[in-house]
């Protein structure tokens, strides 16, 4: 369907006007992204208001209006309204059943790529708590000879994972399992080269302090890490050695305040010969790197 340039211009003025004043700058960036996702206009066309006489729309203008209103009235994250997110070198489908993958997790993948020597970039790799499949798909593309096993306890999340796996034609190398952490993977005990996970790590009491976009719209299962935030992390750190080959790797994303506690958990197992907490680009403790004995 098409819309006249002048009609879209008028829509643009309305859409700008409903952005709350304190969020004007970021809201305008989002508006450009939003409009370019549903039209053939590039963000530059939009910045320069190069609205042609007739512009093709992917949705009726009334639907765009309704979605843009939900962005500000209900604080629905932009990525859920658009239905996709650019993450690492991927464009992933996202729905409210999955966490919107974050820039820190792109860094996690970079840490994996920079750490694992070529001889270990094959065999079985796990993504525990896969959500959109971001880590699993990223891993499979980095390590072309690896088989990646992606686990999530949410069947709705795994429907999205599967869509993304198909999008990148990785069905022969990325395998999905419904279940809790290692439970569906017992056939891989002792055979895994590496585990990468971004588990839920927010302490329960802090979930209610998160920004409304996260608190009300992202899946609670993806956020809530139990009373101390370490429930999932503890389980993964303690069980991983049963699955890893000698010298196998565990990489995990953490909350900035959890580095010391997580390093202590890993060392207490005596199952890792190397345990490090790495910083993210903002200088916060963010990643566990552990190598099995
Ligand atoms: C923080 S999200 C990470 C999603 C994705 N890996 C990413 O980085 O964008 C945590 C994921 O763990 C999943 N999860 C929570 N508890 C789980 C459990 N007991 N077993 C398996 N997955 C679980 C959630 O459904 C969610 O998809």
């Amino acid at each position: 369907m098409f819309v006249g340039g002048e009609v879209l211009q008028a829509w643009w003025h309305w859409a700008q006007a409903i952005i709350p004043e304190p969020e004007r700058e970021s809201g305008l960036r989002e508006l450009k992204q939003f409009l370019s996702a549903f039209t053939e206009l590039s963000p530059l066309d939009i910045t320069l208001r190069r609205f042609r006489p007739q512009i093709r729309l992917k949705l009726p203008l009334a639907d765009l209006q309704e979605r843009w209103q939900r962005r500000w009235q209900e604080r629905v994250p932009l990525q859920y309204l658009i239905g996709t997110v650019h993450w690492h070198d991927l464009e992933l489908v996202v729905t409210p059943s999955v966490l919107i993958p974050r820039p820190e997790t792109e860094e996690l993948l970079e840490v994996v790529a920079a750490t694992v020597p070529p001889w270990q970039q094959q065999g079985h790799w796990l993504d525990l708590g896969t959500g959109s499949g971001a880590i699993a798909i990223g891993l499979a593309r980095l390590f072309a000879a690896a088989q990646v096993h992606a686990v999530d306890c949410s069947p709705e999340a795994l429907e999205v994972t599967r869509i993304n796996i198909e999008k990148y034609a990785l069905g022969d190398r990325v395998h999905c399992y419904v279940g809790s952490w290692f439970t569906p993977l017992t056939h891989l005990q002792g055979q895994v080269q590496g585990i990468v996970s971004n588990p839920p790590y927010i302490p329960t009491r802090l979930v209610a302090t998160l920004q409304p976009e996260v608190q009300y719209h992202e899946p609670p299962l993806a956020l809530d890490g139990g009373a101390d935030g370490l429930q999932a992390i503890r389980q993964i750190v303690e069980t991983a050695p049963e699955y890893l080959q000698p010298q196998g790797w565990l990489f995990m994303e953490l909350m900035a305040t959890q580095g010391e506690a997580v390093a202590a958990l890993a060392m207490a197992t005596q199952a890792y010969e190397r345990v490090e907490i790495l910083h993210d680009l903002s200088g916060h403790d963010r990643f566990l790197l552990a190598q099995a004995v």
Side-chain angles (χ1 to χ4, degrees), residues 254-282:
L254 320 168
M255 200 161 119
T257 50
Q258 294 169 337
E260 224 172 280
V262 174
L265 277 175
M267 280 180 310
T269 64
Q270 301 193 340
Y272 302 100
E273 63 174 24
R274 178 174 166 196
V275 173
E276 290 176 32
I277 300 296
L278 307 179
H279 291 171
D280 60 21
L281 290 174
S282 322

Side-chain angles (χ1 to χ4, degrees), residues 22-43:
E23 291 164 289
R24 186 135 200 89
E25 209 176 304
S26 60
L28 277 175
R29 273 200 305 276
E30 288 195 19
L31 179 55
K32 278 182 215 166
Q33 253 180 286
F34 181 81
L35 200 54
S36 73
F38 291 112
T39 62
E40 59 205 346
L41 299 169
S42 70

